[in-house]
Amino acid sequence: MNKAKNIVVTISRQQASGGAYIGHLLAKNLGFRYMEQEILSLTAKELGVNLADLAHKEECCDGFVEKMMKSFMYGTPEAGYAAPVRKPVLDEDLFLTESRIIKTIASSYDAVIVGRGGYSILAG
């Protein structure tokens, strides 16, 4: 017998919009898993970085200047290699890792996913 597909509710939210509060209530009432910070924690673990180093990257992408400066992170052609103090996390790596984790959650559990572009990642 085939198991029915999991039900996943995604909530897009902005800061102070109440999305997290609504998500908690919805998950509790439906008996679903509430997934918000857990996605970030799993992403940090998979990328091998501290959670605190990753949290600020979710709210905005690097601009042109930040991307240009990261190109010099490992040193200039004239200078020797200097290892960065922290492991850098590129926007693309963050998005791809979170997307993979969100898809895994959606295929494993009935869940309420708040933020992190879940509505776009799971579209269709």
Side-chain angles (χ1 to χ4, degrees):
M1 178 188 296
N2 289 337
K3 181 185 179 289
K5 288 186 176 184
N6 296 319
I7 298 171
V8 178
V9 177
T10 61
I11 299 175
S12 177
R13 52 111 172 106
Q14 293 180 344
Q15 189 171 6
S17 67
Y21 176 73
I22 293 168
H24 273 290
L25 289 177
L26 185 61
K28 182 179 177 182
N29 288 332
L30 294 175
F32 289 6
R33 283 187 166 202
Y34 176 80
M35 306 300 278
E36 182 184 17
Q37 282 301 112
E38 189 173 343
I39 294 170
L40 186 62
S41 297
L42 291 169
T43 302
K45 184 177 179 181
E46 190 170 319
L47 292 175
V49 297
N50 290 329
L51 184 60
D53 293 338
L54 196 59
H56 76 279
K57 291 205 49 80
E58 286 207 314
E59 298 302 323
C60 63
C61 294
D62 290 338
F64 173 75
V65 173
E66 290 87 359
K67 287 181 181 182
M68 186 177 74
M69 295 307 291
K70 281 184 181 179
S71 69
F72 295 110
M73 183 180 304
Y74 299 107
T76 61
E78 301 82 25
Y81 170 76
V85 176
R86 295 182 188 151
K87 180 180 177 185
V89 177
L90 303 176
D91 295 333
E92 295 83 10
D93 293 337
L94 176 61
F95 176 75
L96 291 174
T97 304
E98 281 192 343
S99 296
R100 186 172 47 255
I101 289 169
I102 288 171
K103 288 176 184 176
T104 300
I105 290 167
S107 66
S108 303
Y109 314 108
D110 292 332
V112 174
I113 296 174
V114 177
R116 292 174 177 71
Y119 66 93
S120 179
I121 293 165
L122 299 175

